[in-house]
Amino acid sequence: PFTNNQVDMALGILFNKQKQQPSDSCMLDTTLDVFDSLWGKNNNKDSNDDSALENLANKHGMIDSQDEIRALEKQDSNELIAKGHYNSAMLYYGGEWYWGLDRIGYLVERLLSNNKTNNNNNDILQTYRLQYDRSIHVQSSQSPQETKKKKNDDDVLELNAFFSFRSPYSYIGMERVLALCDQHNKHAADAANGVATRIKLRLRPVLPMVSRGIPLSQSKRIYILTDANREAEQHGIPFGRVCDPLYKDGIDWCMQTFVALQSSHSNNNNNNDDNNDDDSNNSKQERMVLSILKGIWSEGLDVTSTAHRRIMMDRAGVEWHELETNITTNNNNNDNSHDIIYKDDDTITMMTDKNAADLNGLGLWGVPSFACGDGFSVWGQDRLWALKQHIYNSNNKNNKT
């Protein structure tokens, strides 16, 4: 970690250069010098060594006054907020925000479309786009390799998917990870001379951010919805007709239905000597979760409406009688349909607390997050390329043993 003095030195150097109103390239060079002294090859990892920053201060000059630094810092923060954002590490171009490395691809595409006359710049952008596309998309064409070893427990890779019903990124991530698992497992089943590693997906719902004490400002909410729409469009996923499930116990219903269906499947398996139905039960639960997420984030379905609940459950292939051991019914609704009243909220609390604790134990808090049983974990639906690569590498490793 950096000391307060190092942070102030870095800001002092940058604000001093900013006051000089340099060219964009000059300001960028100075900024890169500062980053390199803190994070790069010139950082000797000694938190008490300020020599790299002192050398930069001698080279570029530096504001010493902490009062002036704080005033300039507040001024830039106010400009960030005025433009509609809430966080650092953001690129802003032409009214659109680009968050970190994972959104630079969108900026490259936009610059290419706006820069049709400068061939030199186009060549640079095209080169970067190829690099970006390679890191994100090349793994999607990779499939499990054939193996001649016999099937055993090592041929199953458990994948935990942590998600929230109130997260649009969870909706996009669930669409994508289910497709990934389905595609991979089909390849594994079709392996000609043996079997490849199969993925066993385990769904792990957590409470929404605001229910876990994480603040959600209006600007953050607006950005998340805007960015999620951009991501959904990129991956061909319907998005945009939203009905917030947080109110009128909507999240409670989502969680209770998840637990009730899970308990129903557990009871069915306990009453059956042959547990080969486990995969089909998991698939039904996956369809149910995806149906609810799709209803919330792309169809404007209200999870507090009995009629809308029936739509989401029916298309997932979930019958009301499957949940009877965990629910009672109430037909005092105006639409004369049966609603679900759940009996055991303690089970839900224990589940969500454990899922949140396990997520935190991975050093993560956001959703969706994905964790494999072999210790690999990653945060974000925009990191699924890394998950794909890990599964591919794991499969090849198993095939060689």
Side-chain angles (χ1 to χ4, degrees), residues 98-104 106 132 135-137 139 168-170 172-174 176-177 223 227-228 230-232 234-235 367-370 378-388:
Y98 304 91
W99 186 338
L101 295 174
D102 300 293
R103 300 298 184 267
I104 291 180
Y106 293 121
Y132 179 83
S135 69
I136 298 300
H137 299 301
Q139 293 83 355
Y169 295 124
S170 288
I172 298 169
M174 193 62 65
R176 297 181 62 201
V177 80
Y223 174 78
D227 182 62
R230 182 169 56 183
E231 285 287 282
Q234 173 74 10
H235 296 288
V367 290
S369 287
F370 306 97
V378 68
W379 170 36
Q381 61 84 30
D382 48 16
R383 290 291 197 276
L384 282 175
W385 64 268
L387 176 63
K388 291 179 184 178

Side-chain angles (χ1 to χ4, degrees), residues 31-43:
T31 302
L32 292 175
D33 283 345
V34 171
F35 279 142
D36 189 48
S37 69
L38 293 172
W39 299 98
K41 60 186 179 182
N42 293 328
N43 180 10

Side-chain angles (χ1 to χ4, degrees), residues 215-234:
L216 182 64
S217 65
Q218 181 68 9
S219 59
K220 185 174 184 178
R221 176 180 169 83
I222 291 173
Y223 174 78
I224 287 175
L225 288 174
T226 302
D227 182 62
N229 184 72
R230 182 169 56 183
E231 285 287 282
E233 184 176 337
Q234 173 74 10

Side-chain angles (χ1 to χ4, degrees), residues 279-294:
D279 284 346
S280 63
N281 286 340
N282 287 343
S283 295
K284 184 171 289 188
Q285 187 179 61
E286 292 160 8
R287 292 197 303 270
M288 182 273 292
V289 168
L290 187 56
S291 179
I292 293 175
L293 286 169
K294 183 178 180 180

Side-chain angles (χ1 to χ4, degrees), residues 164-359:
S164 164
F165 286 102
R166 203 192 181 215
S167 162
Y169 295 124
S170 288
Y171 162 52
I172 298 169
M174 193 62 65
E175 286 268 14
R176 297 181 62 201
V177 80
L178 287 175
L180 167 63
C181 292
D182 183 60
Q183 179 188 41
H184 181 91
N185 288 340
K186 284 181 179 178
H187 281 300
D190 293 340
N193 297 316
V195 294
T197 302
R198 293 181 63 255
I199 303 171
K200 183 175 181 179
L201 184 63
R202 185 182 177 198
L203 302 183
R204 307 285 300 276
V206 299
L207 294 175
M209 287 193 302
V210 292
S211 301
R212 289 182 282 148
I214 303 170
L216 182 64
S217 65
Q218 181 68 9
S219 59
K220 185 174 184 178
R221 176 180 169 83
I222 291 173
Y223 174 78
I224 287 175
L225 288 174
T226 302
D227 182 62
N229 184 72
R230 182 169 56 183
E231 285 287 282
E233 184 176 337
Q234 173 74 10
H235 296 288
I237 297 172
F239 185 87
R241 294 181 59 198
V242 178
C243 185
D244 193 340
L246 186 65
Y247 307 104
K248 295 182 180 179
D249 300 324
I251 290 295
D252 288 345
W253 178 81
C254 295
M255 291 294 189
Q256 290 163 342
T257 303
F258 182 92
V259 169
L261 185 60
Q262 190 174 53
S263 299
S264 175
H265 289 163
S266 177
N267 291 336
N268 289 340
N269 284 338
N270 288 338
N271 293 328
N272 191 339
D273 292 334
D274 183 358
N275 285 340
N276 290 331
D277 290 336
D278 186 55
D279 284 346
S280 63
N281 286 340
N282 287 343
S283 295
K284 184 171 289 188
Q285 187 179 61
E286 292 160 8
R287 292 197 303 270
M288 182 273 292
V289 168
L290 187 56
S291 179
I292 293 175
L293 286 169
K294 183 178 180 180
I296 291 170
W297 295 106
S298 73
E299 299 170 326
L301 295 184
D302 183 356
V303 293
T304 69
S305 161
T306 300
H308 287 185
R309 291 173 178 178
R310 290 298 297 264
I311 292 172
M312 290 181 278
M313 303 305 290
D314 288 348
R315 69 185 179 192
V318 176
E319 301 289 344
W320 295 114
H321 67 78
E322 294 182 75
L323 311 178
E324 285 178 354
T325 59
N326 301 285
I327 65 172
T328 58
T329 57
N330 171 30
N331 60 357
N332 294 324
N333 298 289
N334 292 332
D335 55 8
N336 295 320
S337 61
H338 290 278
D339 201 357
I340 298 177
I341 301 175
Y342 297 84
K343 299 177 180 178
D344 190 2
D345 286 340
D346 289 340
T347 301
I348 297 164
T349 300
M350 288 189 294
M351 176 193 70
T352 55
D353 285 351
K354 176 171 173 48
N355 289 347
D358 288 350
L359 183 62

